[in-house]
Amino acid sequence: VLSVWGWGGLGVVLFLITFGPFAVFYLAFYIFCFVGGGFVVTLLFGKTNSERHLERCEHSYLPATQTGILKTLDEMRLEPKPIQIDRRLTGSNYIDEPLQQVIQFALRDYIQYWYYTLSEDDSFLLEIRQTVQNALVQFSTRSKEVDWQPYLTTRLVDDFATHLRVFRKAQDRLEDSKQSKEMVESFFEAEVEMERNICRDVVCTSLKDEEGFLRDLCEVLLYLLLPPGDFHNKNMRYFLREILARGVLLPLVNQLSDPDYINQFVIWMIRDSSCNYEAFMNILKLTDRVSELEAVKDKALEELQYLRSLDTAGDDINVIKNQINSLMFVKKVCETRIQRLQSGKEVDALKLAANLGKLCIIPLEHILVHNIALQFFMDYMLVAGAQAELFFWLTVEGYRVTAQQQLEVMEGWQKDGRKGGDTKGLLKAAALGVYEQYLSDKASPRVQVDEASVLQLGEKLQKDSDPTPEIFDDIQTKVYDMMLRDERYYPSFRQSPLYIRMLAELDMLKEPSYRGSDDGDGVSLVLIGCFSLLCLQSLDDLSNSCHDDNMQLHAFISDTGVCNDHGKTYALYAITVLRRNHDGSEDSWKTYRRYSDFHDFHMRITEQFENLTAILKLPGKKTFNNMDRDFLERRKKDLNSYLQLLLNPEMMKACPTLVHYVYDFLENKQYSKGKGDFARKMDTFVNPLRSSMRNVSNAVKGLPDSLAGGMNKAADNMGRMSEKLGQDIKQAVFKVPPMLPKSDFDPEHCRVSAQLDDNVDDNIPLRVMLLLMDEVFDLKERNQWLRRNIKNLLQQLIRATYGDTINRKIVDHVDFMTAPEQVADYVKKFRDSYWPNGILAESPPRRDKNIRMRTRVAAKTNLLGIMPDELKHIIGADTTRKGILRVFDMFQHGPMNRRLVYVLLEGFLETMFPHYKFPELFVKLHSRSPRTARYTQKVKSTFPKR
């Protein structure tokens, strides 16, 4: 035993010495690998034998495959499947070619990229393409059968105007209640009150419900457009439904309802118009969003840093200095407005102007011939109980114009040897109607004039069979003098808030702003241009320098240049001024003036010194080619002659106070326009009325359509004239609404087209303009007199521009917009925007907040800048600004934009498929809204069944 253990131990020791201490582990690993390898070999050998055995068993029980089947399978694998597609879609090659490219790109980017990972068979893609083409063919065929003119000119405008009405009611509700409700919540509350049986709040605010709505809508469209076999294929139908709903319509709605996209689109639409500097400054001073002001200020600071870093010399430095000064001014305006908004010290411009009491005086004769001014004076006279006097004066004006026209027509007939009918008899009946309405004992209210004049007029009307157009002139003059001098009327009107509001509508007031003081308590009323100089400064404040009589001025234009500022090009004249003081010393400087500065200066001094009108002659204006070098040189010579005559010592001796005006004009500073700017404003709204028919007569007479029908029409109008004016007084004083069909609902709680005036001419452009103007500018709040004047002005504008061919022009324009070439262009633009260079465009990242805010400011500026001055003269500058900003604010809420998109889509589908019950379908699709159920319950509780 000892020998066994000895020899064993010796073997272990020699093993460890020979192979090392880890030899035991190696030995165990080798043994494990040997055993494992043998097990694997045995397993594989058994598996192979088992498979062979099973194969022998299967062939022993199944018959052999026929050779024909194998051959057919081989041919099917080798033969390519032919793909034949009819590429005709709309019947026009112009449209089909780009449309086929759109289909190809859509299949490639939305289907092929994942389908080929599942199968290489193209039959499914062929079926999809064929189904899409069949739907497009049905859609194209149906669109050709539809008359799109009523939709584009009536339904589309009505949907937009109704959407704007809902937004306006939501705004008014928030302002009246002073609650912190969200605008979107208030908007949809107003929508359900107007629509009554439908509310789109769930679809517009919930992504899940919106996707469900689009799925249901797409399934209905597939039912209408697809062949029955394709539609009943559930896999195909669901597949196309998801692609249309989530891949096409939902992204499109997201883009169209994005406020930033809409703002960019507005800027692009009016990109050709030059930037209006005054509109830009008005937007900065009117905005109530600090973020917009901060964005503009940051951009101004960025540009200031860049300009200050430039190394310039020579003439460029003057340009850069001007740019720096402009940017500094913009920065100051933004900081002042931000300070006011953050401090909560909002200032009412109208109240401040009333407290200052320094306002321009508009004569009564100008007020009576201007629509806007007349409206405010009419409102004041109604409150003062003197409506009879004012309406009598206006009625007599209408009578005089109509009588003069009809007598001229009658004289023309007599010269031609024709009978003029009972013209004088009709005029006498009209004159008696005016007398009975305003001057007789039965008149209520009655014009307050001396009884002797009334009795004399009554006797004259009874005796004279041929009343003249001037028969009321004596009493009309007395009524005018009474309104002018009686403290209860025009003098008190000038001290009333209505007068301040009238100036604001005439754009003769600007919003006050805080001075740049630290405490921010000081305020000032800033009026436009030289109007501030006229009203808020005395002549002694124009120059603080004490100019001695011995001081002599010499000036001449030394150079002329052309400048471009804010997109406007104008000529600039460099004036070298030499001043000799009484002590013998001389001063010299240069100042720069535009022709408009000369023109305003000339208007100011000629109004102050009427004897200069015959002596001083300013070179006339030129509209075209006024930047031509030869023309500028001639004007420079003429202006030099004007300056030399103005500075003649004899001229100064004849007008001693003229030196203050001349020195202010030639001083080296920015010229502050004075009386010229005010006079220009007065001319813009007075002169056009003087050169044409007085607008007030449009409300009491009609334009004769023919000579034969003109007499009866004029007499009929004169016969009803007093009745119409009486209705105006009743509506204005007692707030009686116009006659409308009886309804259980407020007329304001209905669509705009439901209240379209039946008396409006059957003229599509006029109806469209009235609908839009009523809602955009809220003209229903104005009295009926102004609304009729606006209607008449629009009628005259449309008839003067287009005559009787306006409807034909609209049809031609619609045909042009739907022509194959135009439709093909739309498809190409869609293709290029979604697949630029044939590659699917990536979703752009959300733009920076400051960029979006500056885009808002730019969009508002462009919208305000394109408004024509003629529109401001018709409805008022302040009303125009508020209306434009209301439209802009409406588009700044995503859910509300979605509602407008879906309303337009619903109207489009109802027009496309008029024989299907789409209105009832949309009511059902939107029935999930809890607001609809609450409103229905509220109506039932308010109006219980009897």
Side-chain angles (χ1 to χ4, degrees):
V1 177
L2 181 60
S3 61
V4 174
W5 283 102
W7 286 107
L10 180 61
V12 171
V13 172
L14 292 176
F15 179 81
L16 294 176
I17 293 173
T18 303
F19 298 102
F22 297 100
V24 178
F25 301 101
Y26 292 149
L27 180 62
F29 178 72
Y30 295 153
I31 294 172
F32 175 77
C33 290
F34 176 78
V35 175
F39 179 77
V40 171
V41 172
T42 303
L43 180 64
L44 292 177
F45 179 77
K47 180 177 182 297
T48 303
N49 289 336
S50 299
E51 289 177 351
R52 290 176 181 176
H53 178 72
L54 290 175
E55 186 177 355
R56 287 196 298 268
C57 293
E58 290 177 357
H59 284 288
S60 62
Y61 294 105
L62 295 177
T65 304
Q66 298 180 5
T67 58
I69 296 177
L70 296 176
K71 185 176 181 180
T72 302
L73 291 175
D74 293 337
E75 291 179 355
M76 291 178 64
R77 292 190 183 99
L78 296 176
E79 181 182 357
K81 186 175 181 179
I83 301 177
Q84 297 180 357
I85 300 177
D86 188 0
R87 302 183 65 86
R88 293 175 298 176
L89 297 174
T90 63
S92 173
N93 294 330
Y94 296 105
I95 304 175
D96 292 348
E97 182 179 354
L99 197 57
Q100 286 288 353
Q101 293 180 350
V102 170
I103 296 175
Q104 180 63 36
F105 291 154
L107 292 176
R108 181 196 66 190
D109 295 326
Y110 290 103
I111 299 178
Q112 290 180 3
Y113 82 95
W114 59 264
Y115 176 75
Y116 281 134
T117 62
L118 304 177
S119 173
E120 296 181 356
D121 189 4
D122 292 336
S123 60
F124 176 75
L125 298 177
L126 175 64
E127 294 295 335
I128 289 290
R129 187 184 187 107
Q130 193 65 42
T131 301
V132 172
Q133 292 191 171
N134 290 337
L136 289 176
V137 170
Q138 291 294 329
F139 183 85
S140 174
T141 303
R142 182 60 200 151
S143 63
K144 294 176 182 178
E145 299 173 356
V146 176
D147 182 12
W148 291 105
Q149 179 188 346
Y151 172 75
L152 295 175
T153 57
T154 304
R155 174 64 186 268
L156 185 67
V157 178
D158 178 42
D159 288 339
F160 179 81
T162 301
H163 183 81
L164 182 59
R165 170 177 290 185
V166 176
F167 176 73
R168 178 173 53 82
K169 291 180 68 64
Q171 275 188 326
D172 297 340
R173 178 175 302 177
L174 288 179
E175 293 176 357
D176 295 339
S177 61
K178 302 297 181 182
Q179 297 178 359
S180 58
K181 294 179 62 178
E182 293 290 338
M183 174 59 70
V184 174
E185 295 292 327
S186 178
F187 177 85
F188 286 110
E189 289 290 343
E191 182 196 19
V192 73
E193 292 177 1
M194 183 167 295
E195 299 284 354
R196 294 194 286 273
N197 60 347
I198 191 172
C199 184
R200 302 169 182 85
D201 56 340
V202 175
V203 174
C204 298
T205 57
S206 172
L207 178 60
K208 181 179 178 180
D209 291 297
E210 184 178 16
E211 291 178 350
F213 171 78
L214 290 176
R215 288 191 185 98
D216 295 338
L217 185 60
C218 289
E219 192 156 357
V220 173
L221 292 178
L222 292 176
Y223 171 78
L224 297 175
L225 298 176
L226 292 181
D230 292 339
F231 179 78
H232 292 297
N233 186 341
K234 292 186 177 180
N235 294 331
M236 179 72 70
R237 184 171 80 241
Y238 294 160
F239 183 77
L240 291 178
R241 184 191 68 181
E242 291 299 317
I243 292 179
L244 288 176
R246 302 192 60 181
V248 179
L249 290 181
L250 187 59
L252 182 62
V253 172
N254 290 336
Q255 184 174 18
L256 295 179
S257 60
D258 182 18
D260 187 52
Y261 174 79
I262 295 176
N263 295 337
Q264 296 179 64
F265 184 75
V266 168
I267 296 174
W268 177 81
M269 285 290 293
I270 52 182
R271 61 191 181 278
D272 295 333
S273 62
S274 59
C275 181
N276 191 313
Y277 178 76
E278 182 180 358
F280 174 65
M281 299 309 300
N282 283 335
I283 292 300
L284 293 183
K285 294 178 181 180
L286 292 174
T287 182
D288 56 355
R289 294 179 66 96
V290 177
S291 55
E292 294 180 1
L293 298 169
E294 291 283 359
V296 175
K297 188 186 75 170
D298 292 343
K299 188 63 177 179
L301 291 175
E302 179 182 339
E303 293 295 327
L304 282 172
Q305 292 177 357
Y306 170 74
L307 292 175
R308 288 168 176 169
S309 65
L310 295 178
D311 185 13
T312 57
D315 296 336
D316 292 339
I317 193 172
N318 294 326
V319 176
I320 293 178
K321 284 183 178 179
N322 291 335
Q323 293 177 351
I324 291 177
N325 291 335
S326 299
L327 291 172
M328 290 294 295
F329 177 70
V330 171
K331 173 177 170 291
K332 183 64 177 177
V333 171
C334 292
E335 291 175 345
T336 303
R337 182 65 178 168
I338 291 173
Q339 178 185 1
R340 182 193 305 177
L341 293 174
Q342 292 178 343
S343 63
K345 296 180 179 179
E346 277 292 338
V347 179
D348 190 341
L350 302 183
K351 293 181 179 179
L352 183 60
N355 292 332
L356 289 177
K358 298 181 179 180
L359 303 170
C360 92
I361 299 175
I362 298 183
L364 179 60
E365 59 178 321
H366 292 163
I367 293 176
L368 293 176
V369 297
H370 189 265
N371 281 324
I372 300 173
L374 177 60
Q375 175 211 349
F376 290 97
F377 186 60
M378 186 181 298
D379 292 341
Y380 177 82
M381 294 293 283
L382 292 175
V383 174
Q387 64 271 23
E389 285 75 8
L390 177 60
F391 278 98
F392 171 76
W393 191 93
L394 295 172
T395 303
V396 171
E397 284 293 300
Y399 170 82
R400 181 189 299 110
V401 173
T402 303
Q404 289 174 350
Q405 283 190 346
Q406 298 307 318
L407 289 177
E408 291 175 0
V409 171
M410 186 185 68
E411 291 177 359
W413 283 346
Q414 291 177 351
K415 291 181 181 179
D416 296 338
R418 294 182 296 170
K419 294 184 178 181
D422 192 16
T423 302
K424 296 183 178 180
L426 294 175
L427 291 180
K428 182 176 181 179
L432 289 174
V434 175
Y435 178 84
E436 293 292 333
Q437 179 71 25
Y438 295 102
L439 300 174
S440 67
D441 295 336
K442 300 178 181 179
S444 177
R446 186 169 184 253
V447 176
Q448 301 299 320
V449 292
D450 60 285
E451 291 295 334
S453 300
V454 174
L455 293 176
Q456 183 179 359
L457 175 63
E459 294 176 357
K460 190 174 183 180
L461 286 173
Q462 295 295 333
K463 294 179 180 179
D464 295 344
S465 59
D466 301 334
T468 63
E470 297 81 14
I471 192 171
F472 293 102
D473 282 4
D474 183 39
I475 296 183
Q476 187 190 28
T477 303
K478 293 181 179 180
V479 170
Y480 177 84
D481 292 338
M482 180 178 61
M483 291 190 297
L484 178 66
R485 295 180 172 82
D486 196 318
E487 290 295 331
R488 298 173 297 171
Y489 306 140
Y490 176 69
S492 297
F493 172 65
R494 284 174 47 193
Q495 305 298 324
S496 68
L498 285 173
Y499 187 79
I500 311 298
R501 289 176 54 193
M502 181 190 71
L503 294 180
E505 289 289 1
L506 297 176
D507 207 15
M508 292 186 174
L509 289 178
K510 253 190 178 178
E511 183 188 15
S513 59
Y514 288 110
R515 299 186 188 273
S517 58
D518 296 334
D519 56 4
D521 291 334
V523 293
S524 65
L525 181 66
V526 183
L527 301 181
I528 298 175
C530 74
F531 186 67
S532 59
L533 180 66
L534 176 67
C535 298
L536 301 180
Q537 289 183 334
S538 62
L539 295 178
D540 296 334
D541 295 332
L542 294 176
S543 177
N544 294 326
S545 304
C546 296
H547 305 295
D548 197 282
D549 292 339
N550 296 325
M551 183 175 59
Q552 297 181 4
L553 285 176
H554 301 277
F556 62 95
I557 300 176
S558 56
D559 197 9
T560 305
V562 178
C563 298
N564 192 317
D565 185 20
H566 301 287
K568 296 182 178 180
T569 303
Y570 56 87
L572 199 64
Y573 300 93
I575 305 175
T576 301
V577 183
L578 300 175
R579 181 180 64 187
R580 180 176 298 174
N581 300 319
H582 61 278
D583 57 356
S585 61
E586 291 185 356
D587 297 326
S588 64
W589 64 86
K590 277 191 175 183
T591 186
Y592 299 88
R593 295 289 180 260
R594 298 173 54 179
Y595 175 80
S596 60
D597 299 331
F598 279 91
H599 184 263
D600 292 325
F601 169 73
H602 179 76
M603 291 179 66
R604 187 205 298 184
I605 62 175
T606 52
E607 183 161 341
Q608 291 292 329
F609 309 94
E610 296 181 356
N611 56 337
L612 296 181
T613 305
I615 302 175
L616 288 175
K617 299 297 182 182
L618 186 70
K621 292 184 178 181
K622 185 178 180 182
T623 305
F624 303 100
N625 297 326
N626 54 8
M627 295 295 115
D628 182 73
R629 173 56 59 181
D630 295 337
F631 170 76
L632 293 179
E633 287 297 327
R634 291 195 302 270
R635 174 172 281 180
K636 172 185 173 183
K637 181 179 179 180
D638 295 338
L639 291 177
N640 262 324
S641 302
Y642 177 87
L643 282 177
Q644 302 313 313
L645 181 60
L646 181 66
L647 297 174
N648 189 294
E650 298 298 328
M651 181 80 70
M652 293 298 179
K653 290 182 181 179
C655 306
T657 57
L658 181 62
V659 66
H660 297 283
Y661 294 88
V662 175
Y663 184 81
D664 178 68
F665 178 74
L666 297 177
E667 195 174 2
N668 187 17
K669 64 177 183 179
Q670 183 178 2
Y671 177 61
S672 176
K673 297 186 181 74
K675 191 61 177 285
D677 208 3
F678 169 71
R680 179 182 298 171
K681 286 188 174 295
M682 293 297 294
D683 290 341
T684 57
F685 75 88
V686 174
N687 288 342
L689 299 174
R690 290 174 175 171
S691 62
S692 61
M693 184 186 304
R694 309 186 85 175
N695 286 335
V696 293
S697 65
N698 293 332
V700 294
K701 72 177 186 64
L703 295 176
D705 299 324
S706 62
L707 293 179
M711 292 299 301
N712 294 332
K713 185 173 181 180
D716 183 64
N717 280 341
M718 292 304 297
R720 283 194 228 117
M721 181 169 51
S722 301
E723 180 181 355
K724 290 183 178 180
L725 295 178
Q727 291 178 359
D728 287 337
I729 296 174
K730 186 177 180 181
Q731 293 174 10
V733 175
F734 301 104
K735 306 298 182 182
V736 177
M739 294 298 294
L740 292 171
K742 293 185 178 180
S743 175
D744 294 335
F745 299 96
D746 186 355
E748 276 290 297
H749 293 82
C750 62
R751 295 184 64 86
V752 173
S753 59
Q755 292 182 274
L756 190 62
D757 189 359
D758 294 334
N759 294 325
V760 177
D761 291 348
D762 189 14
N763 192 314
I764 293 174
L766 182 60
R767 299 166 75 92
V768 170
M769 293 179 70
L770 288 177
L771 283 171
L772 286 178
M773 291 187 69
D774 269 355
E775 295 306 321
V776 173
F777 303 108
D778 201 11
L779 297 181
K780 291 179 293 299
E781 297 298 326
R782 305 296 185 89
N783 55 43
Q784 295 300 314
W785 179 278
L786 179 65
R787 294 197 69 209
R788 277 204 301 271
N789 277 334
I790 292 174
K791 170 196 165 184
N792 293 331
L793 287 172
L794 292 175
Q795 286 175 324
Q796 293 176 20
L797 176 63
I798 292 175
R799 288 169 179 166
T801 306
Y802 299 103
D804 296 331
T805 64
I806 182 66
N807 289 325
R808 181 69 257 171
K809 289 182 179 293
I810 288 182
V811 174
D812 293 341
H813 186 68
V814 172
D815 292 341
F816 170 76
M817 297 298 291
T818 56
E821 294 80 2
Q822 290 297 318
V823 176
D825 187 56
Y826 304 150
V827 177
K828 290 178 181 178
K829 290 180 179 179
F830 174 79
R831 177 199 61 192
D832 296 337
S833 61
Y834 275 81
W835 290 278
N837 299 322
I839 302 174
L840 182 64
E842 298 181 357
S843 299
R846 185 172 176 80
R847 303 200 308 165
D848 181 69
K849 180 181 178 181
N850 284 344
I851 298 178
R852 287 186 279 115
M853 292 299 104
R854 288 196 294 270
T855 304
R856 284 171 55 97
V857 175
K860 286 192 286 187
T861 301
N862 288 348
L863 284 174
L864 202 60
I866 63 172
M867 287 298 104
D869 292 336
E870 290 77 10
L871 181 63
K872 298 177 183 179
H873 298 159
I874 293 175
I875 64 177
D878 191 55
T879 300
T880 302
R881 280 192 294 267
K882 290 180 179 178
I884 295 302
L885 294 180
R886 179 185 295 116
V887 174
F888 176 83
D889 292 338
M890 181 185 68
F891 287 114
Q892 304 312 305
H893 304 275
M896 293 157 51
N897 294 339
R898 302 182 92 86
R899 188 259 179 193
L900 179 59
V901 171
Y902 285 124
V903 167
L904 298 179
L905 177 61
E906 292 169 9
F908 175 82
L909 293 177
E910 291 176 14
T911 305
M912 175 72 79
F913 305 99
H915 302 297
Y916 298 92
K917 298 181 179 180
F918 265 100
E920 293 82 353
L921 173 64
F922 290 128
V923 171
K924 293 180 180 179
L925 292 179
H926 293 296
S927 61
R928 291 188 292 267
S929 172
R931 281 191 173 87
T932 305
R934 290 198 300 266
Y935 181 77
T936 303
Q937 186 64 29
K938 178 181 177 182
V939 172
K940 289 182 179 179
S941 61
T942 306
F943 302 99
K945 295 183 179 180
R946 296 180 180 178

